[in-house]
């Protein structure tokens, strides 16, 4: 008896929420960005290690609803190893597809928060010795 | 008895029960007929001025250890408990079925209520038979429309017990009402160094217009603190009043905590300090009514859409003397007596503050909403809501792992805000929606209060006259389902 509750809160999403991939600081962070969704208070901080135009390592931290946190975990796992240009081409639609279950417009904002932060992070070198993203 | 009706301290403070006060009079040797008359007069006005009441507990409602004496009283004039089944059929939307098989359980009334067939029919009827612009034409239809519009103003005047009909201004809602006062009164009466005193439990719409006033004038906006138990810190409030305080603006009922503030005490102390008082009555008007003269408030604002009326209409009440002294805010048609190429002369009240074509049909239909509420009786409605809040507190507490915000049910209106431990408010609301239960999630337009409570977001169930105890049960069951989703693998 599937209902919407089970659709949105599928097991693999709850897995990411409860046991996230790379939650914490990036050991050799070169790029970072943070943003929140003031309407609901969801917050995501992303740290990346970018070397030779490629995402070597991706980490996140933050707080918020299951959708915002699970989608962040999925995204940092997805982009590790990708070229920066591939991340730039990873569209909002790709993010919603990666997440899976259909979301109402309001909850799409939760899902796209980490995606927005990553898109900014690749342009946000941290510190004087950091490498440009491209 | 003789001085009871004039004894303000006893009479109207929401934490000074008039019912308890009058009940005390029954036990004295004075004329109980007189006491009964006064009491019935108050009950019949359907304006809640006593302690919050629950089913079957009308006379015995107590100050809850807040320093008020209690007295027994005869079981007279007790309003009958309200059975929502009697009029749920009046509300077409309540028979909606969501997600194929889930009956709508509408518990977001503090955001906006639903409306009965009588109000919806009135809207259709006016558009079909009675509609023209008001205060303009000499033709029959314009007269008709104007009469209905002004009759509704009279209904509102009675509803809030204003002394004069022209003290009732139709606006687009509470937010517009706050902005009119902040712009018109604020810009010419407030200067650098003056203070506006608010409380930490205000809705954003009773914060931002004052912050904007501060940006324009250099005045200081201060916030009286809320205690951990959800009540206003009245001592701190009093200490913050001073000779620089020009205006005190506060809510009569918190839209998050449900806390009912002690109106008369706060207004009296503000006046003693020489400040004017603006009351945001958006949350209390639909459930407790308003008595502007007993409150002795200078400005009162509320919205139609939270009290069975249409969206797009609200009220600003202002004391005649003060409204007369204020310049118009919006300029345009209706608000002028005459216009020349050199300037204009403002119209008299209330037109002075009703520039442009007003919300004609919503204003007329608001009159029908007031009729509907008064037929049932606000006192019964409030008692019913407190009853539901009590059930909700019990049911949620039984689940465990739930933090309920604000005071116990007998000290608040039909608002139950809560946090499900370990589950974000939006996930709670999403899962409840899958069960057909509509509640609010987030900061409920009260971000500073959430910060004060050290919360990012909370959930809020808010009740109205048509909600049932079965719906409270469905709420609790849906919250339990939500806990299962997030606990199942722990």
């Amino acid at each position: 008896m599937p209902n919407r509750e089970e659709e949105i809160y599928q097991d693999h999403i709850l897995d990411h929420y409860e046991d996230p991939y790379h939650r914490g600081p990036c050991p050799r962070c070169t790029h970072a960005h943070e943003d929140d969704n003031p309407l609901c208070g969801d917050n995501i901080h992303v740290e990346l290690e970018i070397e030779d135009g490629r995402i070597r390592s991706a980490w996140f931290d933050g707080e918020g609803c299951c959708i915002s946190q699970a989608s962040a975990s999925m995204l940092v796992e997805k982009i590790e190893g990708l070229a920066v240009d591939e991340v730039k081409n990873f569209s909002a639609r790709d993010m919603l597809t990666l997440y899976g279950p259909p979301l109402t417009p309001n909850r799409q904002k939760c899902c796209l928060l980490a995606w927005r932060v990553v898109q900014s992070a690749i342009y946000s070198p941290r510190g004087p010795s950091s490498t440009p993203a491209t | 008895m003789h001085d009871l009706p004039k004894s303000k301290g006893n009479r109207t403070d929401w934490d000074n029960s008039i019912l308890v006060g009058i009940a005390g009079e029954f036990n004295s040797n004075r004329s109980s007929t007189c006491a009964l008359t006064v009491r019935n007069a108050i009950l019949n006005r359907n304006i809640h001025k006593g302690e919050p009441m629950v089913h079957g507990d009308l006379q015995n409602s107590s100050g809850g250890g807040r320093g008020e004496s209690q007295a027994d009283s005869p079981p007279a004039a007790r309003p009958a408990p309200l059975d929502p089944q009697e009029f749920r059929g009046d509300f077409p939307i309540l028979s909606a079925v969501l997600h194929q098989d889930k009956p709508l359980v509408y518990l977001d009334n503090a955001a906006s209520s639903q409306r009965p067939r009588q109000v919806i029919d009135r809207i259709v009827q006016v558009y079909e038979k009675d509609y023209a612009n008001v205060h303009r034409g000499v033709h029959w239809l314009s007269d008709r429309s104007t009469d209905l519009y002004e009759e509704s103003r009279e209904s509102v005047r009675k509803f809030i017990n204003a002394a004069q009909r022209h003290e009732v201004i139709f606006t687009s809602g509470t937010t517009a009402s706050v902005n009119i006062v902040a712009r018109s009164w604020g810009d010419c009466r407030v200067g650098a160094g003056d203070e506006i005193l608010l409380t930490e439990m205000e809705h954003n719409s009773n914060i931002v217009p004052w912050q904007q006033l501060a940006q324009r004038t250099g005045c200081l906006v201060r916030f009286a603190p809320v205690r951990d138990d959800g009540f206003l810190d009245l001592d701190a409030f009093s200490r913050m009043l001073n000779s620089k305080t020009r205006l005190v603006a506060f809510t009569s009922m918190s839209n998050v905590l449900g806390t009912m503030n002690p109106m008369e005490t706060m207004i009296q102390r503000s006046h003693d300090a020489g400040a004017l008082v603006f009351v945001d009555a958006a949350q209390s008007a639909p459930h407790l009514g308003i008595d502007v003269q007993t409150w002795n408030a200078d400005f009162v604002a509320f919205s139609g859409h939270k009290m069975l009326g249409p969206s797009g209409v609200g009220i600003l009440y202002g004391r005649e003397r003060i409204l007369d002294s204020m310049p118009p805010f919006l300029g345009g048609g209706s608000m002028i007596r005459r216009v020349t190429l050199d300037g204009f002369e403002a119209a008299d009240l209330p037109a002075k503050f009703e520039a442009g074509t007003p919300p004609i049909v919503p204003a007329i239909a608001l009159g029908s909403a007031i009729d509907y509420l008064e037929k049932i009786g606000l006192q019964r409605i409030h008692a019913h809501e407190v009853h539901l809040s009590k059930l909700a507190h019990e049911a949620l507490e039984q689940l465990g792992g739930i933090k309920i915000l604000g005071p116990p049910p007998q000290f608040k209106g039909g608002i139950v805000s809560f946090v499900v431990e370990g589950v974000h408010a939006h996930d709670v609301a999403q899962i409840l929606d899958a069960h057909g239960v509509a509640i609010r999630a987030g900061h409920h337009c009260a971000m500073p209060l959430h910060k004060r409570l050290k919360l990012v977001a909370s959930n809020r169930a808010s009740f109205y006259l048509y909600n049932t105890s079965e719906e409270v049960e469905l709420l609790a069951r849906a919250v339990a389902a939500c806990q299962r989703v997030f606990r199942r693998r722990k």
Side-chain angles (χ1 to χ4, degrees), chain B residues 13-17 19-20 48-55 57-64 66 231 258-260 288 379 382-383 386-387 408-413:
Chain B
D13 241 343
W14 287 0
D15 64 352
N16 288 343
S17 167
L19 295 171
V20 170
H48 171 66
K49 304 190 185 79
E51 273 301 304
M53 285 156 294
V54 293
H55 282 287
D57 196 22
L58 187 58
Q59 273 87 19
N60 292 325
S61 57
S62 78
R66 302 173 75 200
F231 289 104
T259 311
M260 296 186 290
L288 297 164
Q379 198 131 30
H382 177 63
V386 172
H387 173 65
Q410 65 269 30
F411 296 114
K412 63 183 188 184

Side-chain angles (χ1 to χ4, degrees), chain B residues 342-359:
Chain B
D342 298 323
F344 72 94
E345 192 182 323
D348 291 333
L349 294 174
K352 181 164 109 177
F353 292 105
E354 293 184 1
T357 296

Side-chain angles (χ1 to χ4, degrees), chain A residues 3-6 8-15 17-18 38-42 63-67 103-104 107 110, chain B residues 99 102 422-424 426-431 433-435 441-443 447 456-457 481-482 485-490:
Chain A
N3 66 21
R4 294 172 64 226
E5 150 194 335
E6 281 158 11
I8 293 178
Y9 298 95
Q10 291 169 2
D11 271 345
H12 80 281
I13 290 166
L14 287 169
D15 282 342
Y17 180 59
E18 290 169 359
L39 273 179
C40 58
D42 291 351
E63 54 184 338
C65 67
C66 173
I67 296 173
L103 296 170
T104 59
R107 299 318 295 277
C110 308
Chain B
H99 316 319
K102 303 287 190 298
V423 190
H424 190 276
H426 278 192
D427 295 320
V428 174
Q430 182 89 55
I431 291 174
D433 175 66
H435 290 255
H443 47 65
M447 286 174 98
V456 174
C482 164
V485 168
F486 282 88
R487 270 184 196 158
R488 59 187 170 184
R489 293 160 324 146
K490 281 186 179 168

Side-chain angles (χ1 to χ4, degrees), chain B residues 213-232:
Chain B
L213 177 65
Q215 286 172 351
R216 294 194 299 274
T217 64
C219 73
L220 181 66
V221 179
R222 303 180 72 197
F223 293 87
V226 172
R227 301 190 323 210
D228 288 339
D229 60 10
F231 289 104
L232 184 72

Side-chain angles (χ1 to χ4, degrees), chain A residues 76-129:
Chain A
V76 293
E77 186 178 39
K78 168 81 184 173
I79 63 174
E80 268 194 0
L82 293 188
V84 170
D85 282 344
E86 288 177 294
V87 176
K88 285 184 194 166
N89 290 329
F90 191 81
S91 67
R93 187 165 297 280
D94 293 333
M95 180 69 232
L96 294 171
T97 306
L98 174 69
Y99 182 79
L103 296 170
T104 59
N106 257 328
R107 299 318 295 277
Q108 288 182 9
K109 288 178 199 154
C110 308
C111 181
L112 294 175
L113 174 60
W115 173 82
R116 275 199 291 120
V117 174
V118 164
Q119 292 301 332
S120 296
I122 55 179
Y123 294 101
S124 308
R126 171 189 266 191
S129 63

Side-chain angles (χ1 to χ4, degrees), chain B residues 115-132:
Chain B
R115 43 217 43 72
R117 173 60 66 198
Q118 288 83 339
V119 171
I120 299 167
D121 285 350
R122 186 69 170 140
I123 295 168
V124 173
Q125 191 194 3
V126 175
Y127 276 126
E128 285 184 349
K129 294 185 175 153
D130 304 312
Y131 183 82

